[in-house]
Amino acid sequence: MDHKLMALGLALTYPDQAFDEAEPDAHDLTRTVVAAAAVGQDTSEPVGRLLTTHPYLNEWVHLVLEDVDMRPPHLRNAVTRGHEPLLGDADPIAERYVCPVDGFSWYRPSAARPVPSCPFGGHALQKA
Ligand SMILES: [Zn+2]
């Protein structure tokens, strides 16, 4: 799957971080694009249009794509801010979940956060 599309699916699972009130239609448009991709439609044109017209979302997607693991920027900050990682300690946000159908990856911010279903068709995510 296209990485931009993956990042948009990820945006739906972190709406507080990925969307800004200055772009009130971005959430709905993203949901529409992701739903279209989930049923196999070619979404390259609408994805491009969505990102071109929504700079806040575009920047968030850009930050996700910058990371080799496609982690959301707010969770990467949590990892690198402040404390030195303990030697041999696992990445504190490393609870990674993957969709067995399409490879969508999701990172669980804390044990209190329920694991969502895959935005690309509602598949159950599995702990990686
Ligand atoms: Zn999936």
Side-chain angles (χ1 to χ4, degrees):
M1 192 189 303
D2 177 73
H3 281 186
K4 275 185 187 166
L5 203 51
M6 282 272 195
L8 286 171
L10 197 63
L12 293 177
T13 67
Y14 305 108
D16 292 346
Q17 285 79 26
F19 302 108
D20 186 77
E21 58 189 16
E23 298 171 3
D25 59 342
H27 197 163
D28 279 350
L29 290 171
T30 300
R31 208 180 288 123
T32 303
V33 162
V34 167
V39 294
Q41 291 179 24
D42 177 7
T43 52
S44 49
E45 197 274 332
V47 164
R49 184 154 22 99
L50 171 63
L51 293 177
T52 309
T53 53
H54 297 81
Y56 184 94
L57 176 62
N58 186 51
E59 174 65 12
W60 192 87
V61 164
H62 178 77
L63 290 170
V64 168
L65 297 181
E66 234 174 39
D67 185 62
V68 67
D69 295 321
M70 290 188 67
R71 292 170 300 174
H74 70 290
L75 295 184
R76 295 210 301 274
N77 292 344
V79 173
T80 53
R81 195 195 307 131
H83 309 283
E84 291 274 330
L86 295 173
L87 205 64
D89 202 8
D91 182 336
I93 64 149
E95 258 206 356
R96 177 170 174 250
Y97 289 77
V98 179
C99 176
V101 179
D102 50 48
F104 172 80
S105 277
W106 184 78
Y107 296 88
R108 193 177 197 179
S110 78
R113 172 82 189 261
V115 178
S117 55
C118 174
F120 298 96
H123 319 115
L125 300 182
Q126 295 176 358
K127 197 164 177 197

